[in-house]
Amino acid sequence: MAKKKGKINPILPSPVYFLPMLKIAWNPCYAHPLPEGHRFPMEKYALLPEQLLHEGIVTQENFFDPLKASLELVLGIHDPAYVEKLQHLALTKHEIRAMGFPLSAALVHRELVITGGTIQCVDYSLQYGLSANIAGGTHHAFQDRGEGFCILNDIAIGAHHAMINHGIRRILVVDLDVHQGNGTARIFENDSNVFTFSMHGEKNYPLHKTNSDLDINLPDKTGDDEYLSLLNRNLPKLISETKPELIFYQCGVDVLESDKLGRLSLSMEGCRTRDRMVFELAHENQIPIVCVMGGGYSEKISIILEAHTNTFREATQIYG
């Protein structure tokens, strides 16, 4: 990857014609079985599509069954030795603990399908203006290892696909999960084509953070007013300065006050307003956007589900 050389050139993006067609990546393997008592709420991946259909937010035609990511694209980001260890289920016990999931062939298949979903979402976003993956946002995966429930970095692989297969040269990663997107930041630290922006809890995981192009570290208990004010001051300026041709939006809902792992204090409405702000800015500036779900660890699955559903409510209202 090319070494960074100052700011991204302020070139206006090509016009995009937005159509009211939201394409959503989903496959039943997203809801991967985990040991009883595991703290990751895997069931949300089965419940969210059902909720979207139940409310009539989308129809079955909006969903597509993603293809597995190609080995060529995965190796464009991840080290061959790491990929080979995944394929042969040869990770060490330490590596598996850091990853957070029991290693299996089914898990590796799941990660390739999720990553394939984000890759295809890039294609759909460039065609329709917006696309979404029911899973994804695996921003803690580094080139050579997985961490924090992240095995392959679907954002990085999707961005690589956008650059080599679509000629995109200015990408903005908007990571609003409560945890810093450390893996994504490290992968693109020397790549001037990708600007990484992470707004996250200062004292939250990961303990040792990497450097994004812009990090906003939030103190514990940050609430709606301060959070939304910071986002409103920074994101429009970033879009104006970087002139992205494509945005990846990591919209984890672990910013909620109810979240067990979050430490921030956003309300449900504050989280929904956050999503609205991002979608409105992308739409107004005619920038295609790929939305990946990220984390959410509230005690009640109904809260997680409501927050993720809000993301789709806002997306369809603004784009449809």
Side-chain angles (χ1 to χ4, degrees), residues 21 34 81:
M21 177 61 76
L34 291 174

Side-chain angles (χ1 to χ4, degrees), residues 78-234:
H78 291 286
D79 288 352
Y82 173 58
V83 175
E84 184 175 0
K85 288 170 76 174
L86 281 176
Q87 289 179 309
H88 292 90
L89 307 182
L91 296 180
T92 66
K93 290 182 179 180
H94 173 75
E95 290 170 326
I96 295 172
R97 280 197 302 271
M99 186 175 68
F101 292 138
L103 182 61
S104 67
L107 179 71
V108 175
H109 171 80
R110 172 188 187 266
E111 302 310 311
L112 288 168
V113 173
I114 289 172
T115 302
T118 298
I119 290 167
Q120 288 178 262
C121 279
V122 169
D123 303 335
Y124 282 122
S125 71
L126 294 174
Q127 183 176 0
Y128 298 121
L130 169 71
S131 62
N133 197 338
I134 287 288
T138 46
H139 56 173
H140 299 311
F142 288 75
Q143 293 100 323
D144 61 348
R145 67 189 186 275
E147 292 183 2
F149 308 137
C150 301
I151 301 168
L152 298 174
N153 194 309
D154 68 304
I155 296 172
I157 295 169
H160 177 63
H161 166 65
M163 289 187 282
I164 67 169
N165 290 322
H166 291 288
I168 300 297
R169 288 293 173 264
R170 296 183 308 280
I171 295 172
L172 174 62
V173 177
V174 178
D175 192 330
L176 300 186
D177 192 276
V178 80
H179 306 106
Q180 192 214 29
N182 56 340
T184 312
R186 177 61 56 81
I187 287 169
F188 291 120
E189 64 182 347
N190 295 315
D191 191 335
S192 61
N193 295 318
V194 181
F195 191 100
T196 54
F197 166 45
S198 183
M199 191 160 127
H200 51 263
E202 181 178 17
K203 296 180 180 179
N204 214 316
Y205 177 91
L207 179 62
H208 302 292
K209 297 175 174 58
T210 57
N211 292 321
S212 308
D213 292 301
L214 176 61
D215 286 305
I216 297 179
N217 302 298
L218 302 171
D220 288 359
K221 304 298 182 183
T222 296
D224 292 355
D225 291 345
E226 183 180 358
Y227 185 100
L228 296 172
S229 177
L230 281 167
L231 184 61
N232 190 48
R233 291 205 302 269
N234 284 276

